[in-house]
Amino acid sequence: MYRVLVTGGAGFIGSNFVRYALQKHDDWQITVLDKLTYAGRKENLQDLQGDPRFSFVQGDVADMTLVDRLAGQVDAIINFAAESHVDRSLLDAGEFINTDVYGAYVLMEAAKRRSLHRVIQISTDEVYGSVETGSSVETDRLNPRNPYSASKAGGELMARAYFESFGVPVIVTRASNNFGPYHYPEKIIPLFITNAIDDLPLPLYGDGMQVRDWLYVLDHCSAIDLILEKGQPGEVYNIGAGNERTNRELTGLILKLLGKPESLIRYVTDRPGHDRRYSLDSGKIGALGWRPAYQFEQALAGTVRWYRDNEWWWRPIKSGAYAEYYKQQYGSRLRG
């Protein structure tokens, strides 16, 4: 039995990975550690309750005693635990530092004392900063431009330092923007889908011409699975799907899939430090044999369908504390 600790496993990407891994690997035993802050939800894992290969521990990745105990019970750790929304980092960076940097330190300290097969530190393409031309390769310098991406850069640099200093078998992944089921509706795709379903305005930053490379979450999961098996400790791997779209183009696709008018679009003042474009060169993981399996338009259509069919999941979120955050973030800019 291969035992894996998945931190942040009740969040968007983490929960999708846990589900993916248990379906693919009969011999895996997965323990999820999650603090269950606003974006980490037990509902994301409710279909796994009763699977004897799955267990859940509510707790903080920054809790040294708890993490050390759990690290002693597993063969590998995959760290998805993170505060992950740029807009929220602009309002309060402290929690990002605590989870994304200090949490990574706590995990590495625990891993240093164990004989683990692998530790995977999940990072983001945003650590490269805005890329005007070409595509980022793993050896490019990091240039984070907001507190979120800076905290992710700090976490991965801490992890890589523990490889260099102590031989902890760390691998860092930097993925492009993910989308798919169970995505908390503060990010552009789930926000715009759920707003459009209710004929609410879609707040599009600036001129809407920011470019992102969209990666379906299950393609991300398959890449992590492969890296866990074939990746080399101490290395960094980009994970991108080559699906570059402007935010304006993406918005139009969502509206078309839902049969909604473009009059729902509201252009709002751009956020500070908004990177214009991200683009990844994924040749390094491609050399390991990974290719995305999902075509972008079909995966987006499936994602729209999931939110349309699973209102039980997102309506309670948007009617609770999230509503106050949304009002604070967009309210004054959407009037008129």
Side-chain angles (χ1 to χ4, degrees):
M1 188 66 71
Y2 191 66
R3 303 164 302 166
V4 182
L5 173 63
V6 177
T7 60
F12 163 49
I13 304 174
S15 63
N16 275 285
F17 179 81
V18 171
R19 189 174 293 104
Y20 170 92
L22 289 175
Q23 288 173 354
K24 183 176 179 182
H25 300 288
D26 292 337
D27 62 340
W28 278 33
Q29 179 83 40
I30 294 181
T31 300
V32 166
L33 172 65
D34 201 291
K35 192 176 179 180
L36 295 182
T37 52
Y38 75 94
R41 309 179 70 223
K42 277 192 171 181
E43 291 89 339
N44 294 356
L45 298 165
Q46 68 178 23
D47 57 317
L48 301 179
Q49 305 302 319
D51 188 325
R53 299 172 299 146
F54 168 78
S55 61
F56 178 83
V57 177
Q58 183 172 351
D60 192 341
V61 70
D63 182 336
M64 185 76 78
T65 301
L66 175 60
V67 170
D68 186 65
R69 175 172 63 82
L70 294 175
Q73 301 170 1
V74 298
D75 303 299
I77 299 174
I78 304 175
N79 182 26
F80 294 97
E83 299 291 337
S84 65
H85 189 36
V86 173
D87 287 350
R88 289 182 185 265
S89 79
L90 295 169
L91 297 172
D92 180 11
E95 284 302 310
F96 288 74
I97 303 303
N98 188 58
T99 301
D100 300 359
V101 183
Y102 185 75
Y105 154 73
V106 168
L107 275 175
M108 298 310 134
E109 273 292 297
K112 183 178 72 171
R113 294 188 283 270
R114 312 294 177 183
S115 297
L116 295 175
H117 169 241
R118 290 288 185 273
V119 179
I120 310 294
Q121 174 70 19
I122 306 297
S123 191
T124 170
D125 61 352
E126 297 189 36
V127 299
Y128 292 115
S130 195
V131 181
E132 297 305 316
T133 60
S135 299
S136 299
V137 296
E138 289 84 353
T139 53
D140 285 349
R141 77 181 184 95
L142 305 187
N143 186 33
R145 299 177 64 241
N146 57 67
Y148 161 62
S149 56
S151 69
K152 292 299 289 183
E156 69 163 76
L157 289 172
M158 182 66 70
R160 294 177 70 193
Y162 270 68
F163 168 78
E164 296 290 348
S165 299
F166 307 110
V168 174
V170 173
I171 300 172
V172 171
T173 66
R174 297 175 184 151
S176 59
N177 285 46
N178 278 220
F179 71 101
Y182 301 100
H183 202 177
Y184 194 82
E186 65 186 356
K187 306 295 180 67
I188 184 171
I189 288 181
L191 172 62
F192 282 15
I193 292 172
T194 55
N195 274 19
I197 287 172
D198 287 342
D199 296 308
L200 295 173
L202 277 55
L204 190 60
Y205 280 132
D207 61 4
M209 298 306 291
Q210 304 87 357
V211 175
R212 300 293 181 263
D213 171 16
W214 291 99
L215 173 68
Y216 189 56
V217 66
L218 293 183
D219 279 329
H220 190 185
C221 293
S222 71
I224 295 167
D225 188 34
L226 179 66
I227 287 168
L228 189 65
E229 177 188 359
K230 295 185 177 181
Q232 293 300 309
E235 295 295 320
V236 179
Y237 294 89
N238 287 340
I239 307 171
N243 295 316
E244 293 188 27
R245 302 288 190 281
T246 66
N247 286 347
R248 178 62 183 81
E249 183 181 2
L250 175 69
T251 305
L253 289 171
I254 290 170
L255 290 171
K256 183 178 179 181
L257 286 165
L258 287 166
K260 300 290 184 173
E262 296 207 349
S263 59
L264 289 176
I265 297 173
R266 297 288 191 279
Y267 290 94
V268 300
T269 305
D270 211 350
R271 70 185 178 206
H274 197 178
D275 293 330
R276 192 67 171 172
R277 175 177 177 263
Y278 301 134
S279 180
L280 291 177
D281 182 321
S282 299
K284 188 173 179 179
I285 188 174
L288 297 183
W290 179 81
R291 298 289 185 279
Y294 293 86
Q295 193 267 345
F296 173 71
E297 283 78 9
Q298 291 176 352
L300 182 63
T303 300
V304 168
R305 201 159 45 243
W306 188 88
Y307 281 93
R308 198 166 47 199
D309 294 344
N310 289 277
E311 294 188 14
W312 68 269
W313 184 86
W314 59 265
R315 284 203 180 278
I317 296 173
K318 296 190 75 170
S319 63
Y322 173 83
E324 286 302 312
Y325 163 78
Y326 186 83
K327 181 179 178 181
Q328 176 186 10
Q329 189 70 15
Y330 299 112
S332 62
R333 291 186 280 183
L334 288 174
R335 289 197 294 267

